[in-house]
Amino acid sequence: MKTILIKDIYRQTEKYQDQVITISGWVRTLRASKAFGFIEVNDGSFFKNLQVVFEENLDNFKEISKLTISSSIIVEGKLVLTPGAKQPFEIKATKIEVEGTSDRDYPLQKKRHTFEFLRTIAHLRPRSNTFSAVFRVRSIAAYAIHKFFQERGFVYTHTPIITGSDCEGAGEMFRVSTLDLENLPRNEEGNIDFKKDFFGKETNLTVSGQLEAESYALAFRNVYTFGPTFRAENSNTARHAAEFWMIEPEIAFADLEDDMELAEDMIKYVINYVLENAPEEMEFFNKFIDKGLLERLDNIVSSDFVRVTYTEAIEILKKADAKFEYPVEWGCDLQTEHERYLTEKVYKKPVFVMDYPKDIKAFYMRLNDDGKTVAAADLLVPGVGEIIGGSQREERIDVLEKRIEELGLNKEDYWWYLELRRFGGTKHAGFGLGFERLIMYITGMSNIRDVIPFPRTVKYAEF
Amino acid sequence: MKTILIKDIYRQTEKYQDQVITISGWVRTLRASKAFGFIEVNDGSFFKNLQVVFEENLDNFKEISKLTISSSIIVEGKLVLTPGAKQPFEIKATKIEVEGTSDRDYPLQKKRHTFEFLRTIAHLRPRSNTFSAVFRVRSIAAYAIHKFFQERGFVYTHTPIITGSDCEGAGEMFRVSTLDLENLPRNEEGNIDFKKDFFGKETNLTVSGQLEAESYALAFRNVYTFGPTFRAENSNTARHAAEFWMIEPEIAFADLEDDMELAEDMIKYVINYVLENAPEEMEFFNKFIDKGLLERLDNIVSSDFVRVTYTEAIEILKKADAKFEYPVEWGCDLQTEHERYLTEKVYKKPVFVMDYPKDIKAFYMRLNDDGKTVAAADLLVPGVGEIIGGSQREERIDVLEKRIEELGLNKEDYWWYLELRRFGGTKHAGFGLGFERLIMYITGMSNIRDVIPFPRTVKYAEF
């Protein structure tokens, strides 16, 4: 008999009501008396369990009564509605087959566990309510991002993970190499001879696909990346991982205003899509992880994001009746405390801060007419702070070359990036969204280690 | 005035017919006489160009007449149908604004270029017909894969890129490290002290996410990965890249038969989706890259894939009236020449070869009752050979442990993988699909370097 998914039973109950059906899944809880018992079965297709009732008429009643948590079973029986009961329906089992038992030392017993402990069993934690919700939402949100961009004709571009250039300038990098550490080759000058390495040069893991994405935007107009990026930063915080996924759209014939509009539309689209497609999970987060979550998300999708210049933001922060750890002065980088004050206290909704001082932003951002600020826009959201960093890119080759020189960078390293400005350059813009930050924001989870299946952080690369 | 995309003009011509509209894009060709001129404009949204006609009543007629290839322009004018002409419609320009010029040394002039040359300008090649088609199809196919799995409730799982275990056993790996090569730390025994490395241990780039995906399948039932994987193999061929993307679905409560069904459905879905959503690109490939392409793809989506055992396949190959470079004997691995003979000469359609000798397959594949073969299935397709490698996984812990020992592997390295068999293990299966192989197959492109935006191969990591 064809196995029916529990998700389909919840979503199309009429279809299966009073039918004899087969389901399969894992025992989440089991209570049994001498004459009958109840099993909560989860089959992985859905957040909620299905209740199975079994009685002593089963051949293997005794075996089933003693099943351990997480044993896998195949159940045949009739689906009956249970009006007035806690669960909407249950299966009256006529047959229960044990597919695989579970040893008594199964670490995910019913009692509550700390997230810290669950990280040590990353191979089992998606079987818990919290992590089943987190990682299904992660999947649905990832799909929403693809759907958003593909429906708008954006071309998904796989920018390289291993990079031969260190000109992205966004942080410390991991070296990728096949050199034998015990026999490092040396050149005539006595330096390590990377010509002997796999790629014939020194290579690292990418910190951003933006520069390559720009080259594709100047062919396909609208493109996006969605892939892993890396930072070898020694930051052991709840918000930093060494390996994380990033989305970087890039749009041609577009300015900073278009860029912010795209970011706002995307954020709203993804949140709406998750709310619609994972209502049970979102209710769970709202109840057990972060009480104000649904209200906050509803507020986001229904409000217009604020736009304020950096200069205005500094003025507001200077007048703020709040004690900041870091003092505020025009020219300083905004800290999380400042960002959260703006988005949580002042505006109570998402805020784009625009036109940052050029000295605290990257070389590729377009210089504004004031000569002091660049056309950058960071999106700050309540509860998190910065979630998106975007900018219009400098398309004027003379201005760009001057910035590269000012910062002491090597122009030759950027030969192809500069060529994009010589061969039909256009106004263009883009932004970067850290996918894990978005998932933390949508789920209310407060540690990045708890939204990545197998997180990689300082001194940690288990599984 | 709002800019209209050329794709929309082709797809909804009635809407824009006889309207004054604005488009923007890049000059692909330009012919001008003293009184008028024609520009083929491509705006990146669509494979085809839009013809713009301009006349001497334009203010900047002279400037426009001399525009170089790839200059970016913004055009305002009326869209008029041109029945009987080569193109279905054209814009009669009333205004043409130059957004960015293109220098005369633009390397993508109208003449034909070799693919080898175009690889050296990977930042510009998506502006050519061939690569605009390849990389749009790549994007559409990637989306089709997500769509296929998400519509079936599969959970997209981001398995780690940096791995602390070398137990995947699928090939040579790249080391990931932040150690200072000029000052390698040593421990008391004089060995390199990886405890001082970023992750506190030796780490590499992943060759497969399968083992981690299995752990998620035993929670979510149906999962898939889609991410980059790496091989540090010194293979300088048209089919090998050091960095490529792989799709690895994993399904629980499922056997090899379910696995093959899933693979067949997926391949057909993706091909159909690309045929429907990139008809212009596919026609181009069929005409200029691979003459039999559309016929071959149509054959695939409409035929039932063949299933044959390895043992049967060996018998067939032994009797074949073909000269093989590598001799055929039960126990040998199939070479591409054998695979292509089976799928191209014998069956003329895709073939699953099942039940390979255990000695030529991985430790995690389920041992068949004959004790000699494993429940593996590789999908062979005409024109390429193997495109998918799949298997049912060994769920019996005693058999699995024995295989690990037989192969001299270290059981402790697999502690969590083995636990999946102790805590409610189930029948489960999965497969791996090399995304680039699929794109080569769908487009007819014959070198893997030409289906990856910025390829990484032996001694090559440019851009």
Side-chain angles (χ1 to χ4, degrees):
Chain A
M1 196 184 288
K2 197 176 166 282
T3 303
I4 309 296
L5 295 181
I6 291 178
K7 179 175 184 178
D8 293 331
I9 297 173
Y10 271 90
R11 293 279 189 252
Q12 312 168 50
T13 310
E14 335 70 59
K15 190 170 161 189
Y16 300 108
Q17 181 185 338
D18 299 321
Q19 304 290 314
V20 174
I21 58 174
T22 302
I23 64 151
S24 53
W26 292 272
V27 174
R28 281 283 179 91
T29 69
L30 187 148
R31 291 171 290 141
S33 68
K34 273 180 187 162
F36 58 91
F38 299 94
I39 310 176
E40 295 275 335
V41 179
N42 190 289
D43 76 348
S45 72
F46 197 55
F47 184 66
K48 292 191 173 177
N49 305 322
L50 180 58
Q51 175 158 293
V52 172
V53 192
F54 62 99
E55 299 182 1
E56 32 178 5
N57 59 345
L58 280 192
D59 294 346
N60 56 351
F61 178 78
K62 276 203 175 153
E63 182 195 3
I64 300 302
S65 299
K66 290 175 186 158
L67 271 183
T68 43
I69 301 299
S70 204
S71 295
S72 53
I73 55 176
I74 301 169
V75 179
E76 191 187 282
K78 193 195 250 188
L79 184 79
V80 294
L81 301 197
T82 52
K86 225 180 83 187
Q87 75 290 346
F89 38 67
E90 63 190 21
I91 286 186
K92 291 203 179 301
T94 45
K95 196 171 144 192
I96 301 182
E97 214 177 298
V98 179
E99 163 90 4
T101 55
S102 180
D103 289 358
R104 298 223 161 258
D105 58 338
Y106 181 61
L108 257 179
Q109 299 296 334
K110 220 193 159 188
K111 75 179 190 79
R112 276 188 96 91
H113 299 283
T114 64
F115 290 161
E116 286 77 10
F117 168 71
L118 291 172
R119 277 173 220 148
T120 68
I121 50 167
H123 60 312
L124 301 176
R125 67 176 177 167
R127 304 179 187 193
S128 69
N129 280 332
T130 301
F131 290 96
S132 125
V134 166
F135 293 115
R136 199 187 312 275
V137 163
R138 185 179 166 114
S139 166
I140 289 169
Y143 185 54
I145 283 166
H146 283 295
K147 208 160 141 59
F148 173 83
F149 286 116
Q150 294 271 345
E151 284 172 357
R152 281 154 189 75
F154 281 59
V155 170
Y156 179 30
T157 303
H158 287 132
T159 49
I161 310 298
I162 298 172
T163 171
S165 66
D166 60 355
C167 59
E168 293 156 353
E172 289 175 72
M173 296 173 99
F174 289 103
R175 189 187 314 105
V176 173
S177 171
T178 56
L179 290 180
D180 179 357
L181 294 183
E182 296 289 4
N183 285 293
L184 289 171
R186 301 272 170 183
N187 59 22
E188 284 176 9
E189 291 85 50
N191 298 321
I192 291 162
D193 187 3
F194 286 105
K195 287 212 176 94
K196 300 263 165 59
D197 207 345
F198 188 90
F199 294 108
K201 65 196 297 194
E202 202 169 351
T203 52
N204 294 290
L205 290 179
T206 184
V207 295
S208 162
Q210 179 200 312
L211 304 196
E212 288 91 353
E214 282 186 53
S215 80
Y216 268 55
L218 291 172
F220 289 113
R221 186 181 203 101
N222 294 328
V223 303
Y224 70 108
T225 73
F226 188 174
T229 47
F230 306 85
R231 294 279 190 288
E233 273 167 36
N234 205 342
S235 318
N236 213 343
T237 81
R239 288 159 50 84
H240 288 88
E243 172 182 319
F244 56 98
W245 286 62
M246 191 143 74
I247 297 112
E248 297 182 286
E250 194 71 32
I251 49 180
F253 294 101
D255 59 19
L256 192 66
E257 193 54 48
D258 299 311
D259 203 34
M260 291 189 285
E261 209 177 289
L262 181 71
E264 181 168 345
D265 288 350
M266 185 201 67
I267 292 282
K268 288 175 174 175
Y269 183 98
V270 174
I271 292 174
N272 271 324
Y273 189 84
V274 170
L275 290 172
E276 275 166 31
N277 288 279
E280 289 80 9
E281 284 83 355
M282 294 308 294
E283 210 177 283
F284 172 87
F285 291 127
N286 194 55
K287 205 162 164 187
F288 295 107
I289 302 293
D290 181 352
K291 296 246 185 282
L293 181 69
L294 287 180
E295 200 188 334
R296 202 169 66 230
L297 294 179
D298 282 340
N299 176 29
I300 306 269
V301 293
S302 58
S303 64
D304 291 327
F305 294 9
V306 177
R307 282 145 169 80
V308 61
T309 65
Y310 169 89
T311 304
E312 288 162 347
I314 291 292
E315 288 310 310
I316 292 165
L317 290 168
K318 275 181 161 173
K319 291 181 200 142
D321 59 342
K323 277 204 179 139
F324 294 125
E325 192 185 337
Y326 295 89
V328 177
E329 214 42 71
W330 199 97
C332 76
D333 211 352
L334 296 184
Q335 303 296 323
T336 303
E337 55 175 348
H338 308 136
E339 293 173 344
R340 293 188 61 168
Y341 182 84
L342 287 168
T343 180
E344 290 168 20
K345 305 285 179 201
V346 182
Y347 297 107
K348 297 181 174 61
K349 51 182 173 174
V351 185
F352 284 108
V353 177
M354 309 174 297
D355 300 330
Y356 283 80
K358 67 173 182 176
D359 293 337
I360 58 170
K361 288 290 182 184
F363 73 93
Y364 50 72
M365 297 186 180
R366 192 178 195 279
L367 193 65
N368 286 325
D369 291 345
D370 61 16
K372 293 190 307 183
T373 62
V374 288
D378 288 356
L379 177 62
L380 318 179
V381 292
V384 170
E386 188 202 320
I387 196 168
I388 280 179
S391 70
Q392 189 170 331
R393 319 307 189 187
E394 185 57 77
E395 85 280 12
R396 296 162 297 187
I397 192 161
D398 48 334
V399 184
L400 184 58
E401 286 183 329
K402 204 170 147 231
R403 283 292 287 154
I404 288 176
E405 278 161 26
E406 270 175 24
L407 293 168
L409 302 169
N410 186 359
K411 227 169 74 173
E412 282 68 44
D413 291 343
Y414 298 89
W415 69 271
W416 61 269
Y417 189 69
L418 289 166
E419 277 197 358
L420 301 177
R421 278 74 185 164
R422 286 210 297 119
F423 301 130
T426 67
K427 262 200 302 283
H428 64 290
F431 63 82
L433 166 70
F435 185 57
E436 283 75 14
R437 294 264 172 100
L438 178 65
I439 301 303
M440 291 168 74
Y441 189 57
I442 291 178
T443 60
M445 298 294 287
S446 56
N447 195 310
I448 198 167
R449 292 165 182 80
D450 296 329
V451 300
I452 300 178
F454 301 92
R456 271 78 183 95
T457 52
V458 183
K459 300 291 172 204
Y460 194 84
E462 299 308 308
F463 300 95
Chain B
M1 196 184 288
K2 196 175 166 285
T3 303
I4 309 297
L5 296 181
I6 291 178
K7 180 177 183 176
D8 294 331
I9 297 173
Y10 271 91
R11 293 280 190 251
Q12 311 167 51
T13 310
E14 334 69 59
K15 190 171 161 188
Y16 301 107
Q17 181 185 337
D18 298 322
Q19 304 290 313
V20 174
I21 59 175
T22 302
I23 64 153
S24 54
W26 292 272
V27 173
R28 280 284 179 90
T29 68
L30 186 147
R31 293 171 288 141
S33 68
K34 272 180 189 163
F36 58 92
F38 299 95
I39 310 177
E40 294 276 332
V41 178
N42 189 288
D43 76 350
S45 71
F46 198 56
F47 184 66
K48 292 191 172 176
N49 305 323
L50 179 59
Q51 175 158 296
V52 171
V53 192
F54 62 99
E55 299 182 0
E56 29 176 6
N57 59 342
L58 281 191
D59 293 347
N60 54 353
F61 178 78
K62 275 203 175 154
E63 181 195 4
I64 300 302
S65 299
K66 288 176 187 159
L67 271 183
T68 45
I69 301 298
S70 205
S71 295
S72 53
I73 54 176
I74 301 169
V75 179
E76 190 186 283
K78 192 194 253 190
L79 184 80
V80 293
L81 300 196
T82 51
K86 225 178 84 187
Q87 75 290 347
F89 38 67
E90 64 190 19
I91 286 186
K92 292 205 179 299
T94 44
K95 195 171 144 192
I96 300 181
E97 213 177 298
V98 179
E99 163 89 3
T101 54
S102 181
D103 288 359
R104 299 225 159 255
D105 58 338
Y106 181 61
L108 258 178
Q109 298 297 334
K110 220 193 157 187
K111 74 180 190 81
R112 274 187 98 92
H113 300 283
T114 65
F115 290 161
E116 287 77 10
F117 168 71
L118 292 172
R119 277 173 218 147
T120 67
I121 51 167
H123 60 311
L124 301 175
R125 67 176 176 167
R127 306 179 185 192
S128 69
N129 280 332
T130 301
F131 290 96
S132 125
V134 165
F135 292 115
R136 198 187 312 273
V137 163
R138 184 176 168 116
S139 167
I140 289 170
Y143 184 55
I145 283 167
H146 283 295
K147 206 161 145 59
F148 173 83
F149 286 115
Q150 295 271 346
E151 284 172 356
R152 281 153 190 76
F154 282 59
V155 171
Y156 179 31
T157 303
H158 287 131
T159 49
I161 310 300
I162 298 173
T163 172
S165 67
D166 60 353
C167 59
E168 292 157 353
E172 288 174 74
M173 297 171 97
F174 289 102
R175 189 187 313 106
V176 173
S177 171
T178 56
L179 290 181
D180 178 357
L181 294 182
E182 295 290 2
N183 284 294
L184 288 171
R186 301 273 171 182
N187 59 22
E188 285 176 9
E189 291 84 51
N191 298 321
I192 290 162
D193 188 2
F194 286 105
K195 287 208 177 94
K196 301 261 166 62
D197 208 345
F198 187 89
F199 294 108
K201 65 196 299 193
E202 201 168 350
T203 52
N204 295 290
L205 289 179
T206 185
V207 295
S208 163
Q210 180 200 313
L211 305 195
E212 289 91 353
E214 282 187 53
S215 80
Y216 268 55
L218 291 172
F220 290 113
R221 187 182 203 101
N222 294 328
V223 304
Y224 70 107
T225 72
F226 189 174
T229 48
F230 305 85
R231 295 278 189 292
E233 273 166 35
N234 205 341
S235 319
N236 213 342
T237 82
R239 288 159 51 84
H240 289 86
E243 173 182 318
F244 56 99
W245 286 63
M246 192 142 74
I247 296 111
E248 297 183 285
E250 194 71 32
I251 49 179
F253 294 100
D255 60 18
L256 192 66
E257 193 55 48
D258 299 312
D259 203 35
M260 289 188 288
E261 210 176 287
L262 181 71
E264 180 169 345
D265 288 350
M266 185 201 66
I267 292 282
K268 288 176 174 174
Y269 183 97
V270 174
I271 293 174
N272 270 324
Y273 190 84
V274 170
L275 289 171
E276 275 165 30
N277 288 279
E280 289 80 9
E281 284 83 353
M282 294 307 293
E283 209 178 285
F284 172 86
F285 291 128
N286 194 55
K287 206 163 162 186
F288 294 107
I289 302 294
D290 180 352
K291 295 248 184 278
L293 180 69
L294 288 179
E295 200 187 336
R296 203 168 66 230
L297 294 179
D298 283 339
N299 176 31
I300 306 269
V301 292
S302 58
S303 65
D304 291 327
F305 293 9
V306 178
R307 283 145 168 81
V308 61
T309 65
Y310 169 89
T311 305
E312 288 164 344
I314 291 292
E315 288 310 309
I316 291 165
L317 289 169
K318 274 180 160 175
K319 291 182 201 142
D321 59 341
K323 277 205 178 137
F324 295 125
E325 193 185 337
Y326 296 88
V328 177
E329 213 43 72
W330 199 98
C332 76
D333 212 350
L334 296 184
Q335 303 296 322
T336 303
E337 56 175 347
H338 308 135
E339 293 173 345
R340 293 188 62 167
Y341 182 84
L342 287 167
T343 181
E344 289 168 19
K345 305 285 180 201
V346 182
Y347 297 108
K348 297 182 174 60
K349 51 182 172 172
V351 185
F352 284 108
V353 177
M354 309 175 296
D355 301 330
Y356 283 79
K358 66 173 181 174
D359 293 336
I360 58 170
K361 288 291 183 183
F363 74 94
Y364 51 72
M365 297 188 180
R366 193 178 194 278
L367 194 65
N368 286 327
D369 291 344
D370 61 15
K372 293 191 305 184
T373 61
V374 287
D378 287 355
L379 177 62
L380 319 179
V381 292
V384 170
E386 188 203 320
I387 194 166
I388 280 179
S391 71
Q392 191 170 330
R393 317 309 189 185
E394 186 56 78
E395 85 279 13
R396 296 162 299 187
I397 191 162
D398 49 334
V399 184
L400 185 57
E401 286 183 330
K402 205 171 146 232
R403 284 292 287 155
I404 288 176
E405 278 161 25
E406 272 176 22
L407 293 169
L409 302 169
N410 186 0
K411 228 169 72 174
E412 282 68 44
D413 290 343
Y414 298 89
W415 69 272
W416 61 269
Y417 188 69
L418 289 166
E419 278 197 357
L420 300 177
R421 278 74 185 163
R422 288 211 295 119
F423 300 131
T426 67
K427 266 199 301 280
H428 65 288
F431 64 81
L433 166 70
F435 184 55
E436 282 76 12
R437 294 265 172 99
L438 178 66
I439 300 303
M440 289 167 76
Y441 189 56
I442 291 178
T443 61
M445 296 295 286
S446 56
N447 195 310
I448 198 167
R449 292 165 182 79
D450 295 329
V451 299
I452 300 177
F454 301 92
R456 270 77 183 97
T457 53
V458 183
K459 301 289 171 204
Y460 194 84
E462 299 308 309
F463 299 95

